[in-house]
Amino acid sequence: MVGEHKATAERRQALRSALIEAADMRIAKDGLSALTARTVASDVGCSVGAIYNVFEDLDGLIMAVNSKTLARLDREIATSLSSVSEDQSPVESLVAIGLAYCRFAAQHPRLWSALFEQGQKTDRVIPDWHMDEHIRLFTHVLTILKELAPEQSDEQTWSQARLMFSAVHGVVSLGMHELFIAVPSDEIEMQVEVLVRATACGLFEN
Amino acid sequence: MVGEHKATAERRQALRSALIEAADMRIAKDGLSALTARTVASDVGCSVGAIYNVFEDLDGLIMAVNSKTLARLDREIATSLSSVSEDQSPVESLVAIGLAYCRFAAQHPRLWSALFEQGQKTDRVIPDWHMDEHIRLFTHVLTILKELAPEQSDEQTWSQARLMFSAVHGVVSLGMHELFIAVPSDEIEMQVEVLVRATACGLFEN
């Protein structure tokens, strides 16, 4: 019996991984709006019903893909920070994160976009583990802002992190859609750097 | 014959206005994605085909609604600027525009959102008259930025206007969707003010 349970758990785990992999590739290729249970099931070679043995609903599967995307972004940010030497100003680290964010969005536009699309379309409460993944990403920024203004309350630091993230996101997001009122797509990185420097300067050096 | 032509032109004009009005109300109520030729025709009491006698396609009708929305936003911005006295710093005018933008988005969330959704979903080339309406809105910001840095090239001023707009738009846009990584919706105005002041300070006072 124990052996049987183990085999079932392993099969379940293998199906889970295969579904995440298939959904990840579908979203990367065609975007979140094109994702259906039917296409993912067909990619994996299982029944549509089998998906719901592993995930509560399609949102659960999408959240698992987003979780993978956040882990990727986290690695990119960590790599970008490792290139900033310790004797440089913390502002250089903020710039490095901003540029890593631009590049990630440009390299994985549909996976990146799915991070925000899901939050907008679902009324579902985000589970703590997924919330924690977002918080982990913000930790990079929070640590640097604390260096820039150690006397500030955590609440204030969070406000600034949210504000800087939203501002950078706005430039990247409008720019990638190539609306003519947006920053031209080939200038996004340069302009994000200008924005991060200007905002940091306005917030911390006055 | 002339009288008949005139009557036809007047009927066409009346239908055009009625269609714009109906589409405006539909978008304001249910959002752009819920807009169909059928519902608008039914609201106005005309056939679906009649729409295409007045507008090239549904995109043409949406553009006419967006044009009305831009004119409203333009009036709100002009009103907000009239409350800034001339002896105040130009930065106060930038703050006033930023806050007017926040309030407009909060008061007309779906009409405001439609301005960006259309640009993303259509491949159609935006006609010059509609482009001009966007440029007119930017003129408010461009004039102020020129006051802050008269020595700059027009190109640089445009870059800054696009950048500041995108950053403010990011805060408003993420905040209105109430993603937890965004600025909380009841702090959007306050945070946009912080952002505009910080960015202006970083761009112009150093």
Side-chain angles (χ1 to χ4, degrees):
Chain A
M1 275 298 279
V2 172
E4 246 175 70
H5 273 169
K6 202 179 154 210
T8 307
E10 275 171 10
R11 266 202 307 277
R12 215 180 124 89
Q13 189 52 46
L15 178 60
R16 195 187 137 84
S17 301
L19 287 168
I20 295 174
E21 182 67 22
D24 182 281
M25 284 173 69
R26 278 278 165 190
I27 296 174
K29 190 167 161 282
D30 303 318
L32 183 58
S33 59
L35 190 80
T36 64
R38 209 172 50 76
T39 50
V40 177
S42 137
D43 288 345
V44 167
C46 70
S47 68
V48 169
I51 296 179
Y52 303 109
N53 285 334
V54 183
F55 293 101
E56 198 181 326
D57 51 21
L58 199 61
D59 271 339
L61 173 56
I62 296 167
M63 212 176 278
V65 174
N66 282 346
S67 169
K68 216 175 138 184
T69 305
L70 289 173
R72 269 182 201 154
L73 176 55
D74 192 49
R75 283 196 298 276
E76 299 287 335
I77 289 177
T79 306
S80 78
L81 285 173
S82 68
S83 70
V84 181
S85 75
E86 278 186 25
D87 56 348
Q88 284 183 287
S89 151
V91 173
E92 301 309 316
S93 299
L94 287 178
V95 169
I97 294 178
L99 294 179
Y101 188 72
C102 295
R103 283 176 204 139
F104 187 83
Q107 278 161 15
H108 311 283
R110 293 192 180 85
L111 288 169
W112 164 75
S113 188
L115 294 175
F116 301 93
E117 286 168 53
Q118 194 196 20
Q120 288 170 29
K121 80 179 187 55
T122 179
D123 289 331
R124 187 170 157 160
V125 176
I126 300 174
D128 284 349
W129 63 265
H130 195 47
M131 206 83 134
D132 286 346
E133 290 174 335
H134 283 95
I135 292 175
R136 203 173 313 144
L137 270 177
F138 265 81
T139 307
H140 297 294
V141 179
L142 294 169
T143 309
I144 301 165
L145 295 180
K146 267 285 177 201
E147 268 186 73
L148 283 164
E151 75 290 356
Q152 279 184 171
S153 70
D154 287 353
E155 203 184 24
Q156 213 172 342
T157 308
W158 257 104
S159 280
Q160 289 165 341
R162 284 199 179 100
L163 184 63
M164 291 186 88
F165 166 68
S166 301
V168 166
H169 178 79
V171 176
V172 177
S173 168
L174 281 183
M176 297 228 334
H177 287 118
E178 302 200 318
L179 303 175
F180 95 100
I181 45 159
V183 169
S185 56
D186 58 352
E187 291 179 23
I188 293 178
E189 288 191 29
M190 192 183 79
Q191 292 293 326
V192 160
E193 177 161 355
V194 170
L195 177 67
V196 171
R197 289 191 191 284
T199 318
C201 175
L203 288 176
F204 301 107
E205 291 174 26
N206 288 280
Chain B
M1 274 300 277
V2 172
E4 245 175 71
H5 272 166
K6 204 182 151 208
T8 307
E10 276 170 9
R11 266 202 307 276
R12 215 180 124 90
Q13 189 52 46
L15 178 60
R16 195 187 137 84
S17 302
L19 288 168
I20 295 174
E21 183 67 21
D24 182 281
M25 286 173 69
R26 278 277 164 191
I27 295 174
K29 190 167 162 280
D30 303 318
L32 182 59
S33 59
L35 191 81
T36 64
R38 209 171 49 77
T39 50
V40 176
S42 138
D43 289 346
V44 167
C46 71
S47 69
V48 169
I51 297 178
Y52 303 111
N53 287 333
V54 184
F55 293 100
E56 198 182 327
D57 50 23
L58 199 61
D59 271 338
L61 173 56
I62 296 167
M63 212 175 278
V65 173
N66 281 347
S67 169
K68 217 176 136 183
T69 305
L70 289 173
R72 270 183 201 154
L73 175 55
D74 192 49
R75 282 196 300 275
E76 299 287 335
I77 289 177
T79 306
S80 77
L81 285 174
S82 68
S83 70
V84 182
S85 75
E86 278 186 24
D87 55 347
Q88 284 182 288
S89 151
V91 174
E92 301 309 316
S93 299
L94 287 178
V95 170
I97 294 178
L99 294 180
Y101 188 72
C102 294
R103 282 175 206 140
F104 187 83
Q107 277 162 16
H108 311 283
R110 294 192 178 85
L111 287 168
W112 164 75
S113 188
L115 294 174
F116 301 92
E117 286 167 53
Q118 195 198 18
Q120 288 170 30
K121 78 177 187 56
T122 180
D123 290 332
R124 186 170 158 159
V125 175
I126 299 174
D128 284 349
W129 62 264
H130 195 48
M131 206 82 135
D132 286 346
E133 290 174 335
H134 282 96
I135 293 175
R136 204 173 313 144
L137 270 178
F138 265 81
T139 307
H140 297 293
V141 179
L142 293 169
T143 310
I144 301 165
L145 295 180
K146 268 285 178 201
E147 268 186 76
L148 282 164
E151 74 291 355
Q152 278 182 172
S153 70
D154 288 353
E155 203 184 25
Q156 213 172 342
T157 307
W158 258 104
S159 280
Q160 289 165 341
R162 284 200 180 99
L163 184 63
M164 292 188 87
F165 165 69
S166 301
V168 167
H169 177 80
V171 176
V172 176
S173 168
L174 282 183
M176 298 229 331
H177 288 117
E178 302 200 317
L179 303 175
F180 96 100
I181 46 159
V183 170
S185 57
D186 58 351
E187 291 179 23
I188 293 178
E189 287 191 30
M190 192 183 78
Q191 292 293 327
V192 160
E193 177 161 355
V194 171
L195 177 68
V196 171
R197 289 191 191 284
T199 318
C201 174
L203 289 176
F204 301 108
E205 289 174 29
N206 289 279

Short mmCIF file of all heavy atoms in Angstrom, two decimals, chain A residues 94-146:
data_model
loop_
_atom_site.label_atom_id
_atom_site.label_comp_id
_atom_site.label_asym_id
_atom_site.label_seq_id
_atom_site.Cartn_x
_atom_site.Cartn_y
_atom_site.Cartn_z
N LEU A 94 20.08 50.07 -7.56
CA LEU A 94 18.71 50.30 -8.00
C LEU A 94 18.64 50.34 -9.53
O LEU A 94 17.73 49.78 -10.14
CB LEU A 94 18.18 51.63 -7.44
CG LEU A 94 17.85 51.70 -5.96
CD1 LEU A 94 17.39 53.11 -5.58
CD2 LEU A 94 16.77 50.68 -5.59
N VAL A 95 19.62 51.01 -10.13
CA VAL A 95 19.68 51.08 -11.60
C VAL A 95 19.81 49.67 -12.18
O VAL A 95 19.12 49.30 -13.13
CB VAL A 95 20.85 51.98 -12.07
CG1 VAL A 95 21.07 51.85 -13.57
CG2 VAL A 95 20.59 53.44 -11.69
N ALA A 96 20.70 48.86 -11.56
CA ALA A 96 20.92 47.49 -12.05
C ALA A 96 19.61 46.69 -12.01
O ALA A 96 19.28 45.96 -12.95
CB ALA A 96 22.00 46.80 -11.23
N ILE A 97 18.85 46.84 -10.93
CA ILE A 97 17.57 46.11 -10.81
C ILE A 97 16.58 46.61 -11.88
O ILE A 97 15.91 45.81 -12.55
CB ILE A 97 16.94 46.29 -9.41
CG1 ILE A 97 17.83 45.63 -8.36
CG2 ILE A 97 15.53 45.70 -9.37
CD1 ILE A 97 17.32 45.80 -6.93
N GLY A 98 16.53 47.93 -12.06
CA GLY A 98 15.63 48.50 -13.06
C GLY A 98 15.95 47.97 -14.46
O GLY A 98 15.06 47.57 -15.21
N LEU A 99 17.25 47.92 -14.78
CA LEU A 99 17.65 47.44 -16.10
C LEU A 99 17.38 45.94 -16.25
O LEU A 99 16.95 45.48 -17.31
CB LEU A 99 19.13 47.75 -16.36
CG LEU A 99 19.47 49.24 -16.44
CD1 LEU A 99 20.96 49.44 -16.67
CD2 LEU A 99 18.68 49.93 -17.56
N ALA A 100 17.60 45.20 -15.16
CA ALA A 100 17.31 43.75 -15.21
C ALA A 100 15.81 43.55 -15.47
O ALA A 100 15.42 42.66 -16.23
CB ALA A 100 17.72 43.08 -13.90
N TYR A 101 15.00 44.39 -14.86
CA TYR A 101 13.54 44.29 -15.06
C TYR A 101 13.17 44.57 -16.52
O TYR A 101 12.38 43.84 -17.12
CB TYR A 101 12.84 45.27 -14.11
CG TYR A 101 11.33 45.10 -14.10
CD1 TYR A 101 10.76 43.99 -13.49
CD2 TYR A 101 10.50 46.04 -14.70
CE1 TYR A 101 9.38 43.81 -13.48
CE2 TYR A 101 9.12 45.87 -14.70
CZ TYR A 101 8.57 44.76 -14.09
OH TYR A 101 7.21 44.59 -14.09
N CYS A 102 13.76 45.63 -17.09
CA CYS A 102 13.53 45.95 -18.51
C CYS A 102 13.88 44.77 -19.40
O CYS A 102 13.13 44.40 -20.31
CB CYS A 102 14.42 47.10 -18.98
SG CYS A 102 14.10 48.67 -18.22
N ARG A 103 15.06 44.20 -19.16
CA ARG A 103 15.54 43.12 -20.03
C ARG A 103 14.68 41.87 -19.88
O ARG A 103 14.40 41.19 -20.87
CB ARG A 103 17.00 42.79 -19.69
CG ARG A 103 17.94 43.82 -20.27
CD ARG A 103 19.39 43.58 -19.86
NE ARG A 103 20.08 44.85 -19.95
CZ ARG A 103 20.97 45.30 -19.08
NH1 ARG A 103 21.27 44.57 -18.00
NH2 ARG A 103 21.54 46.47 -19.25
N PHE A 104 14.28 41.60 -18.66
CA PHE A 104 13.44 40.42 -18.43
C PHE A 104 12.12 40.56 -19.19
O PHE A 104 11.68 39.64 -19.86
CB PHE A 104 13.18 40.25 -16.94
CG PHE A 104 12.46 38.97 -16.63
CD1 PHE A 104 13.15 37.78 -16.51
CD2 PHE A 104 11.08 38.95 -16.48
CE1 PHE A 104 12.50 36.58 -16.26
CE2 PHE A 104 10.41 37.76 -16.22
CZ PHE A 104 11.12 36.57 -16.11
N ALA A 105 11.53 41.76 -19.10
CA ALA A 105 10.25 42.00 -19.79
C ALA A 105 10.43 41.88 -21.30
O ALA A 105 9.57 41.33 -22.00
CB ALA A 105 9.70 43.37 -19.41
N ALA A 106 11.57 42.38 -21.81
CA ALA A 106 11.81 42.32 -23.26
C ALA A 106 12.06 40.88 -23.71
O ALA A 106 11.65 40.49 -24.81
CB ALA A 106 12.99 43.21 -23.63
N GLN A 107 12.72 40.10 -22.86
CA GLN A 107 13.05 38.72 -23.24
C GLN A 107 11.88 37.76 -23.09
O GLN A 107 11.77 36.78 -23.81
CB GLN A 107 14.23 38.21 -22.42
CG GLN A 107 15.58 38.65 -22.99
CD GLN A 107 16.70 38.55 -21.97
OE1 GLN A 107 16.54 37.90 -20.94
NE2 GLN A 107 17.81 39.21 -22.24
N HIS A 108 11.03 38.01 -22.11
CA HIS A 108 9.89 37.11 -21.83
C HIS A 108 8.60 37.92 -21.76
O HIS A 108 7.92 37.94 -20.73
CB HIS A 108 10.09 36.39 -20.49
CG HIS A 108 11.44 35.76 -20.34
ND1 HIS A 108 11.78 34.59 -20.95
CD2 HIS A 108 12.56 36.16 -19.66
CE1 HIS A 108 13.03 34.28 -20.64
NE2 HIS A 108 13.53 35.21 -19.87
N PRO A 109 8.27 38.64 -22.87
CA PRO A 109 7.16 39.61 -22.77
C PRO A 109 5.83 38.99 -22.33
O PRO A 109 5.11 39.58 -21.53
CB PRO A 109 7.05 40.17 -24.20
CG PRO A 109 7.78 39.21 -25.07
CD PRO A 109 8.85 38.59 -24.21
N ARG A 110 5.52 37.79 -22.79
CA ARG A 110 4.20 37.22 -22.48
C ARG A 110 4.17 36.63 -21.08
O ARG A 110 3.16 36.71 -20.40
CB ARG A 110 3.81 36.21 -23.55
CG ARG A 110 3.59 36.89 -24.90
CD ARG A 110 2.93 35.99 -25.91
NE ARG A 110 2.74 36.70 -27.16
CZ ARG A 110 3.67 36.82 -28.10
NH1 ARG A 110 4.86 36.26 -27.95
NH2 ARG A 110 3.41 37.50 -29.20
N LEU A 111 5.27 36.01 -20.68
CA LEU A 111 5.32 35.47 -19.30
C LEU A 111 5.30 36.62 -18.30
O LEU A 111 4.63 36.56 -17.27
CB LEU A 111 6.59 34.62 -19.11
CG LEU A 111 6.59 33.26 -19.82
CD1 LEU A 111 7.99 32.64 -19.79
CD2 LEU A 111 5.58 32.31 -19.16
N TRP A 112 6.01 37.67 -18.62
CA TRP A 112 6.05 38.85 -17.75
C TRP A 112 4.66 39.47 -17.67
O TRP A 112 4.18 39.81 -16.59
CB TRP A 112 7.09 39.84 -18.33
CG TRP A 112 6.99 41.21 -17.79
CD1 TRP A 112 7.39 41.65 -16.55
CD2 TRP A 112 6.45 42.36 -18.46
NE1 TRP A 112 7.13 42.98 -16.42
CE2 TRP A 112 6.56 43.44 -17.57
CE3 TRP A 112 5.89 42.57 -19.72
CZ2 TRP A 112 6.12 44.71 -17.91
CZ3 TRP A 112 5.46 43.83 -20.05
CH2 TRP A 112 5.58 44.88 -19.15
N SER A 113 4.02 39.60 -18.80
CA SER A 113 2.69 40.20 -18.85
C SER A 113 1.68 39.36 -18.05
O SER A 113 0.79 39.90 -17.39
CB SER A 113 2.27 40.30 -20.32
OG SER A 113 1.11 41.02 -20.46
N ALA A 114 1.85 38.04 -18.09
CA ALA A 114 0.93 37.14 -17.37
C ALA A 114 0.96 37.39 -15.86
O ALA A 114 -0.05 37.20 -15.18
CB ALA A 114 1.29 35.68 -17.67
N LEU A 115 2.09 37.84 -15.35
CA LEU A 115 2.19 38.14 -13.92
C LEU A 115 1.13 39.15 -13.50
O LEU A 115 0.57 39.09 -12.42
CB LEU A 115 3.57 38.72 -13.57
CG LEU A 115 4.80 37.83 -13.72
CD1 LEU A 115 6.06 38.64 -13.45
CD2 LEU A 115 4.72 36.64 -12.76
N PHE A 116 0.86 40.12 -14.40
CA PHE A 116 -0.07 41.20 -14.07
C PHE A 116 -1.48 40.88 -14.54
O PHE A 116 -2.45 41.25 -13.90
CB PHE A 116 0.42 42.51 -14.68
CG PHE A 116 1.78 42.86 -14.17
CD1 PHE A 116 2.91 42.48 -14.86
CD2 PHE A 116 1.92 43.49 -12.96
CE1 PHE A 116 4.18 42.75 -14.36
CE2 PHE A 116 3.18 43.76 -12.44
CZ PHE A 116 4.30 43.39 -13.14
N GLU A 117 -1.56 40.18 -15.67
CA GLU A 117 -2.89 39.84 -16.19
C GLU A 117 -3.66 38.96 -15.22
O GLU A 117 -4.85 39.14 -15.03
CB GLU A 117 -2.77 39.12 -17.54
CG GLU A 117 -2.39 40.04 -18.67
CD GLU A 117 -1.99 39.25 -19.91
OE1 GLU A 117 -2.75 38.39 -20.33
OE2 GLU A 117 -0.87 39.50 -20.42
N GLN A 118 -2.98 38.01 -14.60
CA GLN A 118 -3.72 37.12 -13.71
C GLN A 118 -4.28 37.89 -12.51
O GLN A 118 -5.44 37.72 -12.15
CB GLN A 118 -2.84 35.97 -13.20
CG GLN A 118 -3.73 34.89 -12.56
CD GLN A 118 -2.97 33.91 -11.70
OE1 GLN A 118 -1.87 34.20 -11.25
NE2 GLN A 118 -3.58 32.78 -11.46
N GLY A 119 -3.46 38.74 -11.93
CA GLY A 119 -3.91 39.54 -10.78
C GLY A 119 -5.14 40.36 -11.11
O GLY A 119 -5.99 40.62 -10.26
N GLN A 120 -5.26 40.76 -12.39
CA GLN A 120 -6.38 41.60 -12.78
C GLN A 120 -7.64 40.80 -13.06
O GLN A 120 -8.75 41.26 -12.86
CB GLN A 120 -6.03 42.41 -14.03
CG GLN A 120 -5.02 43.51 -13.73
CD GLN A 120 -4.49 44.16 -14.98
OE1 GLN A 120 -5.17 44.20 -15.99
NE2 GLN A 120 -3.28 44.65 -14.93
N LYS A 121 -7.46 39.58 -13.57
CA LYS A 121 -8.66 38.87 -14.01
C LYS A 121 -9.27 37.97 -12.92
O LYS A 121 -10.43 37.64 -12.99
CB LYS A 121 -8.40 38.10 -15.31
CG LYS A 121 -7.68 36.78 -15.18
CD LYS A 121 -7.53 36.14 -16.54
CE LYS A 121 -6.97 34.74 -16.45
NZ LYS A 121 -7.68 33.80 -15.58
N THR A 122 -8.48 37.59 -11.94
CA THR A 122 -9.02 36.68 -10.94
C THR A 122 -9.43 37.42 -9.66
O THR A 122 -8.77 38.36 -9.25
CB THR A 122 -8.01 35.56 -10.61
OG1 THR A 122 -8.60 34.72 -9.62
CG2 THR A 122 -6.72 36.09 -10.06
N ASP A 123 -10.52 36.96 -9.07
CA ASP A 123 -10.95 37.53 -7.80
C ASP A 123 -10.43 36.69 -6.64
O ASP A 123 -10.63 37.00 -5.48
CB ASP A 123 -12.49 37.56 -7.72
CG ASP A 123 -13.05 38.59 -8.66
OD1 ASP A 123 -12.36 39.58 -8.93
OD2 ASP A 123 -14.18 38.40 -9.13
N ARG A 124 -9.77 35.62 -7.01
CA ARG A 124 -9.28 34.66 -6.04
C ARG A 124 -8.27 35.31 -5.09
O ARG A 124 -7.44 36.12 -5.50
CB ARG A 124 -8.59 33.59 -6.85
CG ARG A 124 -8.15 32.41 -6.06
CD ARG A 124 -7.73 31.38 -7.07
NE ARG A 124 -6.82 30.46 -6.47
CZ ARG A 124 -6.60 29.26 -6.96
NH1 ARG A 124 -7.21 28.88 -8.06
NH2 ARG A 124 -5.76 28.44 -6.38
N VAL A 125 -8.32 34.95 -3.85
CA VAL A 125 -7.35 35.45 -2.89
C VAL A 125 -6.01 34.79 -3.19
O VAL A 125 -5.93 33.58 -3.39
CB VAL A 125 -7.80 35.11 -1.44
CG1 VAL A 125 -6.73 35.55 -0.45
CG2 VAL A 125 -9.13 35.78 -1.14
N ILE A 126 -4.96 35.61 -3.28
CA ILE A 126 -3.63 35.06 -3.57
C ILE A 126 -3.12 34.33 -2.33
O ILE A 126 -3.11 34.91 -1.24
CB ILE A 126 -2.65 36.19 -3.96
CG1 ILE A 126 -3.18 36.90 -5.22
CG2 ILE A 126 -1.26 35.65 -4.21
CD1 ILE A 126 -2.38 38.12 -5.61
N PRO A 127 -2.72 33.06 -2.48
CA PRO A 127 -2.24 32.34 -1.30
C PRO A 127 -0.93 32.93 -0.78
O PRO A 127 -0.17 33.55 -1.53
CB PRO A 127 -2.04 30.91 -1.81
CG PRO A 127 -1.93 31.02 -3.29
CD PRO A 127 -2.69 32.24 -3.70
N ASP A 128 -0.67 32.69 0.51
CA ASP A 128 0.51 33.28 1.15
C ASP A 128 1.82 32.93 0.45
O ASP A 128 2.69 33.78 0.30
CB ASP A 128 0.58 32.82 2.61
CG ASP A 128 -0.43 33.56 3.47
OD1 ASP A 128 -1.01 34.55 2.96
OD2 ASP A 128 -0.65 33.16 4.62
N TRP A 129 1.95 31.66 0.02
CA TRP A 129 3.23 31.25 -0.59
C TRP A 129 3.52 32.07 -1.83
O TRP A 129 4.67 32.41 -2.13
CB TRP A 129 3.25 29.75 -0.90
CG TRP A 129 2.23 29.28 -1.90
CD1 TRP A 129 1.00 28.77 -1.62
CD2 TRP A 129 2.32 29.32 -3.33
NE1 TRP A 129 0.32 28.47 -2.78
CE2 TRP A 129 1.10 28.79 -3.85
CE3 TRP A 129 3.30 29.73 -4.24
CZ2 TRP A 129 0.84 28.69 -5.23
CZ3 TRP A 129 3.03 29.62 -5.60
CH2 TRP A 129 1.83 29.10 -6.09
N HIS A 130 2.45 32.45 -2.58
CA HIS A 130 2.66 33.21 -3.81
C HIS A 130 2.93 34.69 -3.46
O HIS A 130 3.77 35.34 -4.09
CB HIS A 130 1.43 33.08 -4.71
CG HIS A 130 1.67 33.53 -6.13
ND1 HIS A 130 2.76 33.14 -6.87
CD2 HIS A 130 0.94 34.33 -6.95
CE1 HIS A 130 2.70 33.69 -8.07
NE2 HIS A 130 1.62 34.42 -8.14
N MET A 131 2.24 35.18 -2.47
CA MET A 131 2.48 36.52 -1.95
C MET A 131 3.95 36.64 -1.52
O MET A 131 4.62 37.61 -1.82
CB MET A 131 1.58 36.67 -0.71
CG MET A 131 1.21 38.07 -0.39
SD MET A 131 -0.18 38.59 -1.40
CE MET A 131 -1.20 39.35 -0.15
N ASP A 132 4.43 35.59 -0.82
CA ASP A 132 5.82 35.59 -0.34
C ASP A 132 6.82 35.69 -1.49
O ASP A 132 7.87 36.30 -1.35
CB ASP A 132 6.11 34.30 0.45
CG ASP A 132 5.44 34.33 1.83
OD1 ASP A 132 5.00 35.43 2.24
OD2 ASP A 132 5.34 33.27 2.47
N GLU A 133 6.47 35.10 -2.62
CA GLU A 133 7.38 35.16 -3.77
C GLU A 133 7.50 36.59 -4.30
O GLU A 133 8.57 37.01 -4.74
CB GLU A 133 6.88 34.24 -4.89
CG GLU A 133 7.01 32.77 -4.54
CD GLU A 133 6.38 31.87 -5.60
OE1 GLU A 133 5.47 32.33 -6.33
OE2 GLU A 133 6.79 30.72 -5.68
N HIS A 134 6.38 37.31 -4.28
CA HIS A 134 6.44 38.71 -4.68
C HIS A 134 7.24 39.52 -3.67
O HIS A 134 8.05 40.36 -4.04
CB HIS A 134 5.02 39.30 -4.78
CG HIS A 134 4.28 38.90 -6.01
ND1 HIS A 134 3.41 37.85 -6.06
CD2 HIS A 134 4.29 39.41 -7.28
CE1 HIS A 134 2.90 37.74 -7.28
NE2 HIS A 134 3.42 38.66 -8.04
N ILE A 135 7.00 39.23 -2.40
CA ILE A 135 7.71 39.96 -1.35
C ILE A 135 9.22 39.72 -1.47
O ILE A 135 10.02 40.64 -1.33
CB ILE A 135 7.19 39.56 0.04
CG1 ILE A 135 5.74 40.06 0.19
CG2 ILE A 135 8.08 40.12 1.16
CD1 ILE A 135 5.05 39.64 1.47
N ARG A 136 9.58 38.47 -1.77
CA ARG A 136 11.00 38.14 -1.92
C ARG A 136 11.66 39.03 -2.98
O ARG A 136 12.76 39.53 -2.81
CB ARG A 136 11.16 36.65 -2.28
CG ARG A 136 12.53 36.11 -1.92
CD ARG A 136 12.59 34.59 -2.13
NE ARG A 136 11.43 33.92 -1.55
CZ ARG A 136 10.82 32.85 -2.08
NH1 ARG A 136 11.28 32.31 -3.19
NH2 ARG A 136 9.77 32.31 -1.49
N LEU A 137 10.97 39.24 -4.10
CA LEU A 137 11.50 40.10 -5.16
C LEU A 137 11.69 41.53 -4.67
O LEU A 137 12.68 42.18 -4.99
CB LEU A 137 10.55 40.11 -6.36
CG LEU A 137 10.80 39.04 -7.41
CD1 LEU A 137 9.76 39.13 -8.49
CD2 LEU A 137 12.18 39.22 -8.01
N PHE A 138 10.73 42.00 -3.90
CA PHE A 138 10.81 43.37 -3.39
C PHE A 138 11.95 43.53 -2.39
O PHE A 138 12.47 44.64 -2.20
CB PHE A 138 9.48 43.78 -2.74
CG PHE A 138 8.59 44.53 -3.69
CD1 PHE A 138 7.82 43.84 -4.61
CD2 PHE A 138 8.54 45.92 -3.69
CE1 PHE A 138 7.02 44.52 -5.51
CE2 PHE A 138 7.74 46.60 -4.58
CZ PHE A 138 6.97 45.89 -5.49
N THR A 139 12.32 42.41 -1.76
CA THR A 139 13.37 42.49 -0.74
C THR A 139 14.67 43.09 -1.30
O THR A 139 15.35 43.85 -0.61
CB THR A 139 13.64 41.07 -0.16
OG1 THR A 139 12.37 40.55 0.27
CG2 THR A 139 14.59 41.13 1.01
N HIS A 140 14.98 42.76 -2.55
CA HIS A 140 16.18 43.36 -3.17
C HIS A 140 16.12 44.88 -3.08
O HIS A 140 17.06 45.54 -2.70
CB HIS A 140 16.28 42.96 -4.65
CG HIS A 140 16.43 41.51 -4.90
ND1 HIS A 140 17.55 40.81 -4.53
CD2 HIS A 140 15.62 40.60 -5.50
CE1 HIS A 140 17.42 39.54 -4.89
NE2 HIS A 140 16.25 39.39 -5.49
N VAL A 141 14.98 45.44 -3.48
CA VAL A 141 14.82 46.89 -3.50
C VAL A 141 14.79 47.45 -2.07
O VAL A 141 15.43 48.46 -1.77
CB VAL A 141 13.54 47.29 -4.27
CG1 VAL A 141 13.36 48.80 -4.27
CG2 VAL A 141 13.60 46.77 -5.70
N LEU A 142 14.05 46.78 -1.20
CA LEU A 142 13.91 47.25 0.19
C LEU A 142 15.27 47.38 0.88
O LEU A 142 15.54 48.37 1.56
CB LEU A 142 13.02 46.30 0.99
CG LEU A 142 11.54 46.23 0.56
CD1 LEU A 142 10.84 45.06 1.25
CD2 LEU A 142 10.82 47.54 0.87
N THR A 143 16.12 46.37 0.65
CA THR A 143 17.44 46.38 1.28
C THR A 143 18.24 47.61 0.83
O THR A 143 18.89 48.28 1.65
CB THR A 143 18.22 45.09 0.88
OG1 THR A 143 17.37 43.97 1.13
CG2 THR A 143 19.50 44.96 1.64
N ILE A 144 18.16 47.92 -0.45
CA ILE A 144 18.93 49.06 -0.96
C ILE A 144 18.35 50.38 -0.45
O ILE A 144 19.08 51.30 -0.08
CB ILE A 144 18.91 49.06 -2.52
CG1 ILE A 144 19.50 47.74 -3.03
CG2 ILE A 144 19.68 50.25 -3.06
CD1 ILE A 144 19.22 47.49 -4.49
N LEU A 145 17.02 50.47 -0.43
CA LEU A 145 16.41 51.71 0.05
C LEU A 145 16.75 51.95 1.53
O LEU A 145 16.97 53.08 1.95
CB LEU A 145 14.88 51.67 -0.13
CG LEU A 145 14.39 51.62 -1.59
CD1 LEU A 145 12.87 51.57 -1.64
CD2 LEU A 145 14.90 52.81 -2.39
N LYS A 146 16.84 50.87 2.29
CA LYS A 146 17.22 50.97 3.72
C LYS A 146 18.65 51.51 3.84
O LYS A 146 18.96 52.29 4.73
CB LYS A 146 17.13 49.60 4.39
CG LYS A 146 15.79 49.32 5.05
CD LYS A 146 15.65 50.12 6.35
CE LYS A 146 14.28 49.89 6.98
NZ LYS A 146 13.91 50.95 7.92
#
